[in-house]
Each structure stands twice: as structure tokens, then as C-alpha cells.
Amino acid sequence: MRKSTFFAFTFSLLSALPSLRADEGMWLPSLIEQGRIGDMRAKGFRLTAQDLYSVNQASLKDAIVRFGSGCTGELISDQGLLITNHHCGYGQIQQHSSVEHDYLTDGFAAMNRSEELANPGLVVSFLVEMKDVTDQILRGVKAGTDETERTKIIDKNKKTVVRKATAGNHYKASVEALYYGNQYFLFVYEVFEDVRLVFAPPSSVGKFGGDTDNWMWPRHTGDFSIFRVYAGKDNKPAPYSPDNVPYVPKKSFTISLKGIEEGDFTFVYGFPGRTYQYLHSEAVRYIQEKGDPHKVNLRTIRLGIMNRAMAADPAVRIQYAAKNASVSNAWKKWQGEMKGLERLGTVGKKQAFEKRFEAWAADKPEYAGTTEQLAALYDSLEPYAFARDYHTEAIMAIELLKFAGTFADAENLKPETLARLRKSAAGFFKDYVPAIDRETADTLLAEYARNVPASFRPETIDPAALADAVFGSSLFTDSLQVGQLLASADTAAIRRKIDDDSAVRAYKAFTGTYKTRIEPEYAALNERIDRKYRTYMRGMMEMRRSEHDFYPDANSTLRIAYGKVDGYRPMDAVYYEPVATLEGVMQKDNPDIYDYDVPARLRQIYETKDYGRWAVDGTVPVTFIATNHTTGGNSGSPVLNADGQLIGVNFDRCWEGTMSDLEYDPTVCRNIALDIRYALFLIDKVGGAGYLLDEMKFAE
Ligand code: ARG
Ligand code: ASP
């Protein structure tokens, strides 16, 4: 009796804090040795900290890349072969697709190296080195240095550190703040820019379940695609050239064919984008009560219009596929996030913690009042944050305005600028349907007028009449007119036409208002908020130094999260098993629904049970879930076993845990991974590209 009361008490106390629970955390690889390695090994990890990260010898980090700007990928052969998600390569796969060569629908397999497809603009970055440079960055900053001066000193020091790190080499470097500027780290990257598409499953596999299954478990998506990194003959980064050769990485992953079981140790090694674990209660309240609901509403409108048009026309379906997926993704996540925050009572817990913080800080002038000051700042910020949300989610969601804006913002009309605009126009019109945009604009503008106070809107614009006026007269709805415009030799005339265009004028009115009445105050307040967080964060760490370990919020830098393969209880009386198989794919099969229409070849293999070496207990494993703490950007990350072998490719999180960027709940937060054996099975049996397996190393 006494014991359980004690436990209940401790538990409620702990959960009143933004404290660290089992498996929460995204750790800096270079610090694993000083911190986490003991816990990792106690939980089953069998390698050393140097196997994970080392600057002196090849380590697992050398097999991992930031893929493009928003995903992770990993090397799976010593000839530059790379695996990431289908949704991470989606833009590229779509770019290569047309109604004649519909790689989205049919999938793509290069049958030899000469068939691999180049992707201008796509880069992958390997981390060469990371290190704590706090002392160098804060050199010259004193206790009394005022904030403006401090920022100046830091910016100058950052430049020096980056310059030194990149002197005499071909690396790129950046200095990133951790813990709200209480610490600084240098990150040095080697960036490759010739990355070619090798294999993509059909969307009916790679995006199986579409946006209906997105953010959900059980999941049956074969969410992977394969690329190859190319280098110059010296194995160094080089711009695309037919003479380039496959890059030989310092390290590539061995693929485990041993399988996984509930309870197995796993870790995810990748580039998580952003988390907000230490946010003030008022910031969370804004997200939950205003930001998320309004943004969800605006996207519901856009998706409704897009979905109808896409269902009616196969060409439009392809044109709007990538746009739709990206609008839908955050739309759905925000809904899960709102629910999760409400269920956990995150705002209330944070308020309770803030009270405790203030009690602790009462006799510490450095910290006292910090959380109250933050609350007041958030109160001032709210109207600006709200107007800003509408600017990005309503106004800038009108494709025409955004496109016209790139012309309006062109600093000059030199031949290279015109060439760039011509290229961007070609890309824009390839996937643009004015009727969709116009209907969207009408509805979004109505919401904008209804919700955004007049003081944050341009006086010169009547939102109710705008769509008609702009779409009826702007030359930017028509590729021919834009082509003619750019073909003219008279740049003064081009400039005049751009400036007179109705879409450009509308764009300028909105961005003018945004830049004068919203953004400056928003930025100024945020600067003050960030400064407060620096103090608050330091205080939190000091206050609870011995209670638990802190980890810095994700900021698109390389991190390790570890945990185990584990099911969960989404609701009363239901337990979700951690492994999904081909049986589930076939249970969902429905030729009448685009997202559930299993490819004929897979159906056939299923009927004959011709799984070959990929059979496990009479079926094929497809996906699994684990307790690894992940976020956006972790897509494509390697999911590894206790021996550092590749067992899966991370691609999502479970619905009940979508609030994990703000509060991680160990009972329901799960990452979703593709079982690597499903990818191999698909390449081999469905895609007919089994030759790719010859490059890979397996542990049986
Ligand atoms: N939810 C995953 C992530 O945040 C996957 C998104 C891609 N899939 C989709 N159906 N839109 O990126
Ligand atoms: N699907 C996400 C990504 O693209 C991963 C996540 O948010 O869990 O990075």
C-alpha cells in the first residue's frame, strides 16, 4: 500500500516535469562515449562508441548522409548505393515521370549504370566531423556584454571557426547552437552533388495506403527508393558528369537478414529536423489551440480541391502528386499532435513545472521570473504569430502569387537570371493547373479575410475580389505568355510588364504588409524569447542537474536515438503487435482504391507463395515499430540492431505519438520502419533488379 502510494507520487512528480523518460532522447554521436554508451550497452548494444563515431577511423557515421535538405539516407554498398524512403525521393521520381513514363505508378529500375537517372539539385552530405566549439564562439563575450554586442561577437567568431574548418579543403561547415545558445558545435560536411536514381517501387507499394495510412500503425508501406552517389575519378565530390564514377564510401552498412523480435535493441542514426522539448507552456498552448487548428483548416480546404481534381484526371493526379503529399503530411500530423497534447495535458504539466522552477529560482536573481517573462512575451507574440501563420498557409499557398513573386523578387534581368527564370517557369507549368489554384485562392482568401485582423492586411486589396481580378488578367497563369515575356530582348520592357502584372502587384502588397507589419515585430519578439530560453534552459539544467540527462533539441544535425522493438496499447483493450507482414498488405488490397491497389505482380507472388529466400514463417515481414525517438528528417534513417547492422529504414511515427516533438510519451511513441527484407524482396522478386543485391553485404 505504502509502496504504491509512493510510486504514484513519484510518478506524478516526474511527469509534472518536462523530464526524460525511457527511450526519449536524440543524442549527439560525438558525446555517446562520455554519456550514453553505458546505458546503450546495458540495453543490449554490442559495439563501442568509436564504432558509432570516430574521426580517426571509419565508423558508422561515414555510411550516413543527409539526403537533400529534409531526409536521411545510408550507404548499402561500397559502390555508392544508397537507400532512403520512397517519399524522400518522391520529388525526383515525379520529376522523371510523365504519362508515357509513369515511374510513380509503375516504379523504376535501372537495369545497368547507364540507365540511372541524374537529379540536378539533389545533394547528399556526409558528416566529416563535429566538435564542441563553445569556447571559441563565446570568446570575447563577458558577463555584462549586451545582447546586440553578444550577437555580433558570436557571428564574427562563427565565421572564423567556419573559415578555419574549410580552409584548404573542399568541405562545407556550419556552427549550430545547442540548448538555445548555451553550447555551440561545429559540423563539417562533404557534399556530393551527382546522385542518381536507381530503383523505385511503384507507388502502390512505396506509398501503399497513401495519406489514409500515413502516420498510422499497422502500416504496410514499402517506403524506400534507391540512389547511387557518384564522385569524380579522385572519389571527391564533382558536379554531374557522365565521366563520374560510383563513390567508394569509407563505410557502408552490412544488412542483417537475421530478423527482429519484440524486445530487440534498436537504434536510429540520422538527421532529425526540429523538436521543441523544452518549450514554455504558453507556446504549446498557442500550437494546440490556435496554430494547429487554423493551419489544419486551411489545408483541409486545399486538399479538398486538389483531391477532386486529381481523382477526375490522371494527368492532374501526377502533376499534383508531390504537392498533395506534402500538404497532406503536415495536415494530418498537426491533427494527431493536437489530440496527443490534449490527452497528455502537456500545457498543464508545463505550467506545474514552471511553478516549481520559479520556486527553485526565487533566491537566484539570474533565473527568477524567467518563465513569467516568457509568458508575457508569448502574449505579445500571439497576434503576430497568427498573422504570420496565415501569410504562409493561406497567401503563400496560392501558387500563382508565389510564382509571380519569384519574378518580382529577381534582383536583375541579366541573361543568367532570365535563364534561371525560364527554368523555374518550365518546372512550374509542368505541374500547374490554374483552375485548381483559382478555386483554392478564392476559398483561402475568404478564410484570410474572416480571421486576420484588418491591421495585418494590405488596405489596397479586397480579398473577396482578388482571385477574379488576378486570375483573369495575370500573364503568369499562362506558359506561352511567360515564354514570350522572357524571350524579349528589351529588359526594361520585361521589367515593366512584370511590375504591372496583377499577380505581382498582389504579391507585393501582401509581402509588403508582411515585411513591414508582421515580420519585424515577430522577429524582434522571438529574439527576446530566444534569449530568455537561453537563461531558462541553463536554469532547468542547473535545477535538475542530478535528476536526469538532457539532450539538445533536434536541429537537423546527426543524432542517435535508441530503444527497442515494441508494440503498444493505442486504446483500452487493444494491443498493437510490433511487426506487420505481407498478409496485411493483402488484407488491405483493393483494386478499386488507388492507394490500396496492390501491383498485379505482387498479388501473383502472394498467390503462389513464391517468396524464395525471403520467406519467414510462410510470409514476408514488411514493417515494424520501435521506441526510438525520431522526428521529421529521420525519414530514410537506418534502423540498426545491436551489432550496428541494417535491419530497417525509418519512415514514420504512429498516430498516438505524433506530439513527440513537444512531449515524448514512452507508452505510445513509436517510430515506424520498413523491414529491410521487404525492400530486398521487392527489388529481387517484384522489381526484377536482383542484380543490385550482388553489391550488398549480408549477415545471415
Ligand atoms: N509521415 C511521414 C513523414 O512525415 C511520411 C510522409 C509521406 N507519405 C505520405 N503519404 N504523404 O514524412
Ligand atoms: N516521415 C517523417 C520524415 O519524413 C518522419 C517522422 O516525422 O517521423 O522525416
Side-chain angles (χ1 to χ4, degrees):
M1 182 63 210
R2 284 193 57 158
K3 197 172 164 195
S4 66
T5 333
F6 173 75
F7 268 114
F9 173 70
T10 327
F11 181 73
S12 67
L13 189 77
L14 276 177
S15 57
L17 314 174
S19 75
L20 193 66
R21 292 80 177 265
D23 300 336
E24 175 174 355
M26 300 174 176
W27 309 96
L28 290 170
S30 64
L31 299 183
I32 291 281
E33 186 163 16
Q34 300 148 35
R36 308 311 302 175
I37 190 68
D39 189 47
M40 285 179 80
R41 292 194 54 106
K43 289 178 172 156
F45 185 52
R46 284 194 284 264
L47 303 180
T48 65
Q50 290 78 22
D51 293 325
L52 292 170
Y53 176 91
S54 168
V55 276
N56 305 314
Q57 68 200 50
S59 57
L60 295 185
K61 76 142 172 57
D62 298 313
I64 301 165
V65 294
R66 185 156 63 202
F67 183 87
S69 54
C71 279
T72 304
E74 55 275 11
L75 279 284
I76 49 170
S77 92
D78 56 10
Q79 296 160 58
L81 208 59
L82 173 157
I83 189 165
T84 184
N85 291 144
H86 185 260
H87 80 259
C88 294
Y90 203 68
Q92 282 75 31
I93 303 166
Q94 193 226 352
Q95 275 302 311
H96 293 296
S97 293
S98 59
V99 175
E100 299 80 58
H101 294 285
D102 187 355
Y103 302 138
L104 280 181
T105 302
D106 305 330
F108 171 77
M111 281 307 155
N112 55 58
R113 301 230 167 123
S114 69
E115 286 183 14
E116 297 173 356
L117 300 173
N119 300 289
L122 174 64
V123 300
V124 299
S125 313
F126 290 84
L127 179 70
V128 177
E129 183 189 8
M130 61 192 290
K131 63 176 183 223
D132 189 335
V133 290
T134 313
D135 291 346
Q136 281 138 278
I137 297 300
L138 296 183
R139 186 167 299 153
V141 173
K142 301 199 182 59
T145 311
D146 83 79
E147 286 295 332
T148 328
E149 185 59 20
R150 186 180 191 274
T151 312
K152 261 196 216 140
I153 298 176
I154 289 178
D155 284 346
K156 193 161 149 269
N157 289 345
K158 273 188 186 169
K159 286 203 187 101
T160 312
V161 169
V162 166
R163 197 179 334 111
K164 277 193 191 144
T166 52
N169 60 45
H170 59 282
Y171 297 149
K172 302 236 155 65
S174 69
V175 170
E176 306 293 342
L178 302 174
Y179 298 116
Y180 293 95
N182 283 293
Q183 219 179 36
Y184 288 90
F185 262 71
L186 166 71
F187 297 86
V188 180
Y189 297 99
E190 186 170 33
V191 182
F192 288 81
E193 43 190 312
D194 184 355
V195 184
R196 304 184 197 170
L197 178 65
V198 176
F199 184 93
S203 293
S204 52
V205 168
K207 202 177 179 249
F208 184 73
D211 290 305
T212 316
D213 281 14
N214 191 20
W215 299 109
M216 307 273 228
W217 183 255
R219 186 67 155 278
H220 299 88
T221 314
D223 196 346
F224 77 100
S225 57
I226 302 221
F227 288 78
R228 191 186 300 280
V229 183
Y230 278 79
K233 297 227 163 57
D234 55 1
N235 207 35
K236 296 225 169 81
Y240 170 83
S241 155
D243 298 334
N244 284 349
V245 294
Y247 170 62
V248 181
K250 289 193 206 75
K251 186 98 188 168
S252 62
F253 283 107
T254 297
I255 296 172
S256 167
L257 299 179
K258 288 176 290 207
I260 45 131
E261 270 173 44
E262 181 146 25
D264 282 358
F265 177 87
T266 67
F267 67 108
V268 171
Y269 204 165
F271 289 92
R274 294 249 164 241
T275 56
Y276 308 91
Q277 236 67 64
Y278 307 102
L279 227 45
H280 187 275
S281 59
E282 276 303 296
V284 178
R285 191 194 52 70
Y286 175 79
I287 292 170
Q288 183 183 341
E289 290 175 9
K290 288 199 90 170
D292 279 357
H294 281 267
K295 291 192 296 187
V296 165
N297 174 47
L298 292 169
R299 289 195 177 206
T300 304
I301 292 169
R302 291 162 74 187
L303 287 166
I305 296 166
M306 260 192 257
N307 287 340
R308 248 181 293 117
M310 289 168 77
D313 182 342
V316 176
R317 179 184 53 67
I318 297 175
Q319 288 179 302
Y320 274 71
K323 291 177 196 171
N324 189 293
S326 89
V327 174
S328 156
N329 193 42
W331 167 78
K332 193 162 178 187
K333 181 189 148 178
W334 291 329
Q335 295 176 61
E337 184 173 82
M338 281 152 63
K339 281 210 174 97
L341 292 172
E342 194 182 328
R343 183 165 34 76
L344 292 178
T346 307
V347 172
K349 283 186 210 165
K350 295 220 170 213
Q351 284 166 343
F353 172 72
E354 285 149 18
K355 275 215 182 87
R356 267 190 13 106
F357 180 90
E358 290 303 336
W360 169 85
D363 59 352
K364 301 175 186 67
E366 187 187 353
Y367 299 119
T370 306
T371 68
E372 284 128 17
Q373 290 149 11
L374 271 169
L377 284 166
Y378 274 118
D379 193 43
S380 315
L381 184 75
E382 180 152 329
Y384 298 96
F386 188 73
R388 183 173 179 272
D389 279 346
Y390 267 85
H391 182 72
T392 35
E393 288 290 327
I395 302 305
M396 287 303 133
I398 302 170
E399 295 179 74
L400 177 63
L401 293 195
K402 229 176 134 181
F403 175 58
T406 58
F407 285 72
D409 292 342
E411 9 19 272
N412 60 57
L413 294 174
K414 291 186 187 150
E416 44 302 358
T417 311
L418 292 176
R420 175 173 63 75
L421 290 173
R422 219 170 279 129
K423 222 167 132 191
S424 99
F428 176 77
F429 286 113
K430 176 174 182 290
D431 294 332
Y432 183 59
V433 179
I436 297 181
D437 196 27
R438 182 181 184 143
E439 192 184 341
T440 307
D442 253 329
T443 331
L444 291 181
L445 286 163
E447 286 300 301
Y448 169 82
R450 208 155 63 80
N451 289 290
V452 179
S455 59
F456 288 125
R457 303 195 320 242
E459 291 87 7
T460 51
I461 282 190
D462 171 10
L466 186 74
D468 267 352
V470 168
F471 282 84
S473 66
S474 171
L475 67 89
F476 289 102
T477 56
D478 179 26
S479 74
L480 279 178
Q481 286 192 59
V482 173
Q484 274 165 12
L485 172 78
L486 292 172
S488 159
D490 180 353
T491 51
I494 300 181
R495 179 59 81 187
R496 226 176 308 115
K497 277 207 173 134
I498 293 176
D499 289 344
D500 283 351
D501 187 82
S502 56
V504 168
R505 283 208 306 267
Y507 169 82
K508 283 189 173 163
F510 283 118
T511 44
T513 304
Y514 177 70
K515 283 190 191 142
T516 52
R517 281 184 247 159
I518 302 169
E519 164 66 18
E521 196 57 22
Y522 177 83
L525 282 163
N526 259 315
E527 219 179 286
R528 292 171 62 195
I529 287 173
D530 280 349
R531 260 178 241 159
K532 282 286 161 226
Y533 271 117
R534 197 169 80 228
T535 308
Y536 184 33
M537 190 75 231
R538 199 167 57 240
M540 279 193 268
M541 292 167 104
E542 202 174 303
M543 168 184 174
R544 302 189 298 121
R545 180 154 281 157
S546 57
E547 274 178 63
H548 73 83
D549 295 317
F550 283 86
Y551 59 95
D553 271 329
N555 61 350
S556 295
T557 60
L558 191 61
R559 303 294 176 94
I560 290 171
Y562 60 94
K564 59 173 190 283
V565 176
D566 200 12
Y568 72 103
R569 299 190 180 281
M571 64 188 103
D572 185 40
V574 177
Y575 181 69
Y576 278 162
E577 306 253 343
V579 170
T581 68
L582 194 58
E583 305 313 305
V585 175
M586 298 310 298
Q587 285 162 9
K588 288 178 180 170
D589 182 20
N590 185 343
D592 296 332
I593 306 178
Y594 183 81
D595 287 329
Y596 292 98
D597 185 8
V598 172
R601 173 93 187 106
L602 183 54
R603 228 176 257 146
Q604 196 184 4
I605 293 173
Y606 177 75
E607 263 146 38
T608 56
K609 301 277 176 287
D610 172 26
Y611 307 143
R613 67 191 284 211
W614 310 111
V616 177
D617 301 328
T619 184
V620 180
V622 169
T623 54
F624 64 91
I625 53 175
T627 59
N628 305 300
H629 188 186
T630 55
T631 186
N634 268 127
S635 273
S637 299
V639 184
L640 303 155
N641 66 14
D643 296 309
Q645 297 161 343
L646 190 67
I647 52 174
V649 181
N650 187 69
F651 70 94
D652 207 0
R653 279 171 283 168
C654 295
W655 181 244
E656 295 77 9
T658 37
M659 69 298 167
S660 67
D661 295 349
L662 298 157
E663 183 177 352
Y664 179 93
D665 174 2
T667 64
V668 294
C669 286
R670 298 291 179 271
N671 64 309
I672 308 181
L674 166 79
D675 191 307
I676 192 68
R677 294 169 297 173
Y678 189 45
L680 299 169
F681 161 78
L682 290 164
I683 293 170
D684 184 19
K685 287 278 183 181
V686 183
Y691 77 94
L692 288 172
L693 274 53
D694 299 342
E695 292 179 36
M696 304 174 194
K697 295 170 294 202
F698 298 104
E700 311 248 356

